Amino acid sequence: MKSRRNSLKHTDEELAEAIIFPVKLTTSQKEEAARQLAIARKATQKTISEKDRLILGLLQLKFQMEDYIRNKEFDPEFTFSYFLKQYVELLKVKRKEFAREISIDETLLSQFINQHRMLPEYMAVRLEIHSNNAIPAIYWFKVVEKQKEYELNTNIALRKKERKYVRRKLAIGNEEQ
Amino acid sequence: MKILETGSETEKKVIIGLAGPDDFKILTKKRFSFVWKTVKKTTTVYKLQIEGSEDILGVMGLIDWPGEKRIEIRLLASSAENIGRSKIYKGIAGCLIAFACRLAVIRYGVEACVSLVPKTELIGHYMRKYYMQYAGRHLYLDGNNLIKIMEEYL
């Protein structure tokens, strides 16, 4: 379906650089094409090095974090603990070993992974260094910030507790608040 | 993600997102090679714009095949003024292909694959320009080639 107008004006190289043309296949051609592709992919999957597997895993995690940071909504599934757990699993080392690599106690690492403690800034930086900049510290920081923002916005108990310490409220807005 | 303004040799930051209903009114065959209103019935259509600009410079229709952990680029078009020797911006198609790779990696990780069915006469060019591998009717990207194209264009 290479349009005549395009093919007259441009070389094949110029077209390939700018356009992908849709190609119609018959049902049998599609089946054959799918079969050929599956065979080729099976062969290349076997040749993917451990280093490339790790890079692809890190890219997956990084892109997930990027999209989540860009998304305005807080999602309780995507806490820093979730991403940290994914990171440690990618490394295929025991938690104890990973904790040693970033010079923290294994118990502290478990507290981060189980969300019993918020991830401090120094940890975001250590994770950036450990990943050789594959996942920047700012990504960890922003994921934590998003979580803190949500918790602050929805913490009714804290508001109730703190109300008694405020002796005077500005006389603007709704008195019921 | 950046494209290069060929005249001034300056890089422009681009964003890629889903094409909305209003976009299809301006995605004409004259400027974008295909009838995109028809394309949107069978593919998910993404558009490329320079950050802060409303003008669309490239469009791409994708089909996701979750069972095969693969995303197919069904078709892609740079705008008419960005094809050939006198193009204004360089790298529009590369950014769109890299974006498809990014989507595939998010969804399928290590097993991610991006493929297309090329016109026969363009096969060699796609392989040289975009690191694609040959698989009969399909060209595809996976493993190290996915990494290479994302490193170059993302």
Side-chain angles (χ1 to χ4, degrees):
Chain A
M1 209 198 292
K2 208 169 109 178
S3 81
R4 191 188 288 172
R5 188 163 45 87
N6 269 333
S7 56
L8 286 176
K9 278 201 310 199
H10 306 294
T11 63
D12 281 350
E13 189 177 0
E14 287 167 350
L15 290 176
E17 206 180 309
I19 299 177
I20 293 170
F21 295 88
V23 174
K24 272 188 185 168
L25 299 178
T26 64
T27 309
S28 64
Q29 284 173 331
K30 274 184 197 166
E31 284 168 6
E32 177 60 10
R35 196 185 62 79
Q36 288 173 327
L37 180 60
I39 292 169
R41 282 179 67 193
K42 204 173 169 185
T44 50
Q45 276 292 319
K46 280 183 192 162
T47 65
I48 299 176
S49 66
E50 280 308 309
K51 185 182 166 191
D52 283 348
R53 284 180 191 279
L54 179 61
I55 292 172
L56 285 166
L58 286 168
L59 284 171
Q60 183 180 31
L61 184 61
K62 180 186 170 182
F63 296 153
Q64 283 174 348
M65 289 174 87
E66 270 177 6
D67 285 358
Y68 177 58
I69 290 164
R70 229 176 275 153
N71 184 354
K72 281 181 188 164
E73 296 296 311
F74 168 78
D75 185 333
E77 192 194 336
F78 294 128
T79 58
F80 74 88
S81 308
Y82 167 85
F83 292 117
L84 182 57
K85 200 175 164 203
Q86 299 294 318
Y87 182 74
V88 179
E89 281 174 9
L90 272 175
L91 305 176
K92 292 180 183 163
V93 293
K94 291 197 169 136
R95 285 185 186 178
K96 190 177 178 179
E97 174 64 13
F98 174 64
R100 199 187 58 78
E101 286 176 0
I102 56 169
S103 306
I104 61 166
D105 195 83
E106 190 189 354
T107 320
L108 183 59
L109 177 64
S110 292
Q111 286 174 341
F112 292 139
I113 287 177
N114 296 318
Q115 227 179 141
H116 295 146
R117 261 181 200 242
M118 273 289 182
L119 200 75
E121 280 178 30
Y122 76 83
M123 268 297 292
V125 174
R126 282 190 203 183
L127 288 167
E128 175 187 276
I129 297 166
H130 186 270
S131 73
N132 205 359
N133 294 321
I135 302 180
I138 194 75
Y139 284 32
W140 295 105
F141 179 78
K142 284 186 176 173
V143 168
V144 171
E145 283 296 288
K146 204 165 186 143
Q147 196 170 336
K148 279 187 184 169
E149 196 180 299
Y150 174 80
E151 284 171 7
L152 183 65
N153 278 335
T154 54
N155 196 335
I156 297 165
L158 183 65
R159 283 177 173 75
K160 246 183 197 171
K161 187 182 154 209
E162 298 303 321
R163 187 161 287 154
K164 62 177 179 255
Y165 298 110
V166 181
R167 293 187 179 133
R168 188 179 82 87
K169 269 203 297 185
L170 296 180
I172 52 171
N174 188 350
E175 283 306 306
E176 293 301 307
Q177 278 185 347
Chain B
M1 228 181 305
K2 287 163 188 159
I3 56 173
L4 188 76
E5 192 173 31
T6 52
S8 62
E9 292 280 309
T10 52
E11 287 185 330
K12 302 277 180 185
K13 214 171 169 188
V14 293
I15 48 166
I16 297 175
L18 284 169
D22 288 344
D23 294 322
F24 291 96
K25 293 174 192 162
I26 52 169
L27 291 174
T28 58
K29 189 176 176 184
K30 191 178 174 190
R31 190 165 177 230
F32 292 97
S33 304
F34 312 112
V35 183
W36 290 88
K37 271 181 197 166
T38 315
V39 173
K40 75 172 177 184
K41 290 175 190 164
T42 52
T43 71
T44 307
V45 179
Y46 290 89
K47 60 179 176 180
L48 178 147
Q49 295 162 301
I50 290 175
E51 205 174 67
S53 163
E54 288 293 304
D55 192 24
I56 296 173
L57 300 178
V59 211
M60 168 175 70
L62 299 180
I63 302 174
D64 190 8
W65 300 97
E68 298 177 34
K69 297 183 177 174
R70 170 169 72 93
I71 288 179
E72 180 181 348
I73 306 176
R74 183 83 182 104
L75 72 176
L76 180 155
S78 306
S79 55
E81 72 279 9
N82 288 303
I83 307 171
R85 265 164 298 171
S86 54
K87 62 179 162 291
I88 303 166
Y89 295 107
K90 198 176 167 184
I92 294 170
C95 284
L96 285 165
I97 293 170
F99 179 83
C101 294
R102 185 185 185 276
L103 277 183
V105 168
I106 289 176
R107 289 174 195 172
Y108 307 123
V110 175
E111 292 172 84
C113 175
V114 168
S115 74
L116 60 94
V117 179
K119 296 291 289 179
T120 313
E121 58 270 36
L122 304 183
I123 289 174
H125 299 296
Y126 288 131
M127 290 175 76
R128 276 191 294 278
K129 181 79 187 165
Y130 299 121
Y131 311 106
M132 297 206 171
Q133 287 179 282
Y134 183 76
R137 289 198 183 269
H138 281 279
L139 289 179
Y140 72 105
L141 287 156
D142 71 356
N144 187 256
N145 292 315
L146 274 179
I147 298 170
K148 275 199 242 171
I149 197 155
M150 289 190 290
E151 274 176 355
E152 187 169 332
Y153 289 99
L154 286 186

